[in-house]
Amino acid sequence: MIQFSCTPPPSANRMYVKGRIKSREYRAWLTEAGWQIKARNIQILSGPVSLELHAPAATKRDLDNHVKPTCDLLVSLNLIDGDRFKTVKRIVLEWHDQPAMLIRIESWPIGQAISKPCVALPMDNGDPLVSASMPL
């Protein structure tokens, strides 16, 4: 497992302008966070991985807005092979009380089953939707 921290990313909603052009804020974060990580001489993990992202609770954005920019940063630094299904097998998101983003990357055990996704299903009595585990 490798663990490090960096400046939190801009919101995924502010990553691009005019379609797919990287915003100035996003490019600046990629450079700053990239240098913060490179300075630590972090090993590269090849193959499937599990990611844990601990975002500063002081930010005023949705927790999931940290995923896309952070995964893109890890791929651009070649810390992980990619951010698609074959590489990133699990992502855990949590808030924490520190000002920096904490990132943990762990090799995914070969042959370990992936948890079944949770799917929202209506209850029989018409109450709001509830979570239930469904087979793949």
Side-chain angles (χ1 to χ4, degrees):
M1 176 183 72
I2 47 178
Q3 175 177 306
F4 52 92
S5 61
C6 68
T7 304
S11 169
N13 298 321
R14 294 193 317 265
M15 288 173 57
Y16 297 98
V17 294
K18 298 180 184 176
R20 299 299 295 170
I21 300 171
K22 291 178 184 174
S23 70
R24 182 175 299 154
E25 180 183 12
Y26 181 46
R27 288 191 319 266
W29 175 77
L30 286 170
T31 300
E32 179 183 355
W35 281 112
Q36 290 171 353
I37 294 167
K38 286 178 186 178
R40 292 180 174 87
N41 271 339
I42 295 171
Q43 72 183 41
I44 297 170
L45 290 179
S46 61
V49 296
S50 169
L51 300 177
E52 282 186 37
L53 308 178
H54 300 262
T59 60
K60 296 179 182 180
R61 66 178 75 127
D62 293 343
L63 184 59
D64 62 337
N65 274 328
H66 293 83
V67 176
K68 174 74 173 140
T70 303
C71 285
D72 288 351
L73 175 67
L74 298 176
V75 171
S76 73
L77 295 173
N78 295 314
L79 292 178
I80 60 175
D81 291 335
D83 57 3
R84 296 188 179 214
F85 176 76
K86 289 184 178 186
T87 301
V88 179
K89 298 295 188 178
R90 181 179 78 129
I91 299 175
V92 176
L93 302 171
E94 292 183 5
W95 294 114
H96 73 143
D97 294 328
Q98 302 299 315
M101 177 89 156
L102 175 65
I103 301 168
R104 289 188 183 123
I105 309 171
E106 190 169 2
S107 291
W108 186 260
I110 302 299
Q112 180 170 337
I114 299 172
S115 300
K116 295 177 182 175
C118 248
V119 180
L121 298 174
M123 294 177 64
D124 290 337
N125 62 5
D127 285 345
L129 299 177
V130 295
S131 291
S133 184
M134 296 291 296
L136 292 175

